[in-house]
Amino acid sequence: LPSARSQAGAMEQARRRLREFDVGDKFSHLPLPRAAVLLPLMVREGRLHLLLTVRSMQLRRSPGEVCFPGGKSEATDKDDIDTALREAKEEVGLQPEKVEVICRLMPGIDKMNNLVTPVVGFIEDTFQVTPNPDEVSEVFIMPLEYFVKPLNYKTFSYKTSSGYSTQIHCFTYYDQEHERSFKIWGLTAHFAVFLALVVFGERPTFEVDYDLDNLFSSSENNFINLYASIYERKKSNL
């Protein structure tokens, strides 16, 4: 079994790299409705893992899909970090004080044109999940590395209604614990891939829409282009 020291080492390196990609509240002035998700990282057997949830079948939007804990911002939330932590507590019983928040990564825009901010935080691998059945049907843990070296991956091109074209990543992960496969795709996969690229700093085994030598600036350009395509459409709809 790996020592506590190697676990601390894995976390320290990830922390350092992630902080270089912190966007803070740089995009919080954009006139879009806001949402946030928590990307919960933990170290298991010396390797970084990510906690993901499966949306309850009774939810109106995307029932049964894999996602991160999160949701829309509420008036009482101070910021995106507050939103992500509040939602994680409601959905999986994770107490906010049990999360070491590291950074906010480049946001994404979902199908409903919400600006979604991914908040990265470390949690203990001893965390006991208590899923809220109204929102979450299952919780599983997978190695972060899978998002740069997947065993089962496919991609398709997608043009948003605003005419912006992008790659959609789709990962199928077989989980030993649940003895079944989970499909991770769309914005959830987009955030997981970016997180893995930042943390590992290595080339993935598949094509991505980034200049990997200039990951921060190319991810920012992608985001600005996506935002501009939506905003142009909004203006033309007025």
Side-chain angles (χ1 to χ4, degrees):
L1 273 174
S3 63
R5 201 152 116 216
S6 71
Q7 296 206 335
M11 285 170 79
E12 196 36 60
Q13 188 187 346
R15 249 189 223 106
R16 204 172 53 241
R17 296 186 64 96
L18 284 160
R19 289 211 175 105
E20 292 170 19
F21 283 80
D22 189 5
V23 299
D25 54 12
K26 185 173 182 176
F27 301 102
S28 56
H29 63 282
L30 296 178
L32 290 177
R34 310 185 63 74
V37 291
L38 182 66
L39 279 48
L41 280 172
M42 64 174 75
V43 181
R44 263 198 186 166
E45 294 166 3
R47 295 164 70 202
L48 286 163
H49 285 68
L50 203 46
L51 178 144
L52 291 132
T53 69
V54 179
R55 291 171 64 86
S56 157
M57 288 312 284
Q58 59 224 35
L59 289 170
R60 272 205 322 276
R61 271 197 331 117
S62 312
E65 303 244 313
V66 170
C67 66
F68 291 111
K72 290 181 88 156
S73 158
E74 289 181 4
T76 49
D77 298 336
K78 283 201 309 290
D79 54 20
D80 302 312
I81 294 172
D82 251 24
T83 304
L85 294 177
R86 175 182 53 72
E87 289 279 349
K89 183 181 177 185
E90 288 169 16
E91 290 177 16
V92 296
L94 179 60
Q95 298 298 327
E97 63 276 9
K98 296 280 189 199
V99 183
E100 181 201 349
V101 173
I102 307 294
C103 68
R104 284 171 272 190
L105 294 177
M106 201 63 67
I109 298 174
D110 69 11
K111 294 192 283 285
M112 320 292 289
N113 286 351
N114 294 305
L115 181 77
V116 186
T117 299
V119 176
V120 184
F122 277 118
I123 63 174
E124 292 292 328
D125 73 330
T126 51
F127 164 60
Q128 293 295 311
V129 186
T130 48
N132 169 354
D134 294 337
E135 299 193 45
V136 172
S137 62
E138 282 177 285
V139 175
F140 65 102
I141 309 284
M142 63 183 282
L144 181 61
E145 214 174 14
Y146 199 89
F147 294 105
V148 282
K149 296 179 185 163
L151 296 172
N152 190 329
Y153 169 85
K154 59 177 190 292
T155 180
F156 45 101
S157 297
Y158 174 74
K159 224 184 180 73
T160 64
S161 47
S162 56
Y164 178 82
S165 70
T166 179
Q167 289 293 98
I168 302 263
H169 304 291
C170 180
F171 299 85
T172 306
Y173 174 69
Y174 183 78
D175 181 72
Q176 301 284 343
E177 204 178 323
H178 291 81
E179 297 186 345
R180 76 176 191 83
S181 290
F182 293 101
K183 185 173 142 189
I184 305 103
W185 68 290
L187 197 56
T188 303
H190 169 82
F191 287 149
V193 166
F194 189 68
L195 177 65
L197 291 174
V198 168
V199 167
F200 298 120
E202 58 182 73
R203 298 196 168 259
T205 56
F206 52 91
E207 292 293 311
V208 287
D209 288 338
Y210 303 112
D211 168 3
L212 293 169
D213 299 317
N214 298 289
L215 187 54
F216 189 91
S217 57
S218 75
S219 66
E220 188 168 48
N221 288 341
N222 287 2
F223 171 72
I224 289 165
N225 291 338
L226 171 64
Y227 173 72
S229 74
I230 285 166
Y231 207 68
E232 281 308 308
R233 193 175 108 240
K234 279 197 156 167
K235 282 197 297 208
S236 65
N237 283 350
L238 294 177

